[in-house]
Amino acid sequence: MPPGPAAMPAGAAIQNRGYDMVANYLPILMFIMIGVVVGVVTLIAGRVVGPHRPDSEKDSPYECGFEAFEDSRMKFDVRYYLVAILFIIFDLEIAFLFPWAVALDGMATTGFVAMAIFLGVLVIGFIYEWKKGALEWE
C-alpha cells in the first residue's frame, strides 16, 4: 500500500501528479506517433513501389483541360467573395445543429427554445441577404 499524503515529502506529491498527467496523455501521444509513422510509411511505399514514368501528357494542365490564357493573378468580382463568406457563415452555423440533434433527448424545453431562437436568427439573416441580392450571381 502506498504511503498517504502525510507520509510523502512535499515534492513527491507534485511529482506523482506530474506522472499522472503524463500517463493520461501517453495514449494520445502514442496515437499521434502511430499516425505519423503510418503516413510516412505509406508515402515512402508509394514512392518506392509505384511506377514513375513522366511524359509531356502527364505533365500537362489537367484541372481545366487547356492551357492558361490569362494572368493567374486576375481580379475576381467582390460578389464571389461575398457569396463564399456567406456560405462559410451559414455552413458553420448549421454545423451547430448536429451536436444539438444528438443531445436533444436529454435537453429540456429550454434547449429546444434556445435552438429555435438560433434558427430564427439564422433564417432572418438568410432572408435579409436574399432580399439584398447578395446571393445573386449576375
Side-chain angles (χ1 to χ4, degrees):
M1 175 182 252
M8 280 193 230
I14 293 173
Q15 288 176 345
N16 192 19
R17 207 174 16 210
Y19 174 76
D20 289 342
M21 188 173 75
V22 171
N24 287 336
Y25 283 106
L26 187 62
I28 297 171
L29 182 63
M30 289 175 52
F31 185 74
I32 291 172
M33 289 188 334
I34 290 171
V36 168
V37 167
V38 167
V40 169
V41 166
T42 55
L43 285 173
I44 291 172
R47 176 65 76 180
V48 170
V49 175
H52 186 68
R53 295 184 297 263
D55 64 14
S56 62
E57 189 64 31
K58 287 183 182 178
D59 292 336
S60 66
Y62 59 92
E63 290 185 10
C64 58
F66 52 86
E67 296 288 334
F69 54 87
E70 287 186 25
D71 184 22
S72 63
R73 292 181 171 85
M74 65 183 215
K75 293 182 179 180
F76 284 97
D77 192 6
V78 174
R79 288 178 290 185
Y80 172 78
Y81 296 108
L82 181 63
V83 170
I85 289 171
L86 289 173
F87 172 75
I88 290 171
I89 289 171
F90 285 115
D91 189 46
L92 289 176
E93 289 176 348
I94 294 300
F96 285 119
L97 288 175
F98 292 111
W100 173 78
V102 169
L104 183 60
D105 287 342
M107 283 193 281
T109 307
T110 309
F112 183 77
V113 170
M115 188 52 73
I117 292 170
F118 174 76
L119 287 175
V121 170
L122 184 66
V123 168
I124 289 170
F126 182 71
I127 291 171
Y128 173 78
E129 294 298 331
W130 194 350
K131 294 291 183 185
K132 291 290 273 184
L135 302 175
E136 296 294 327
W137 195 248
E138 287 290 332

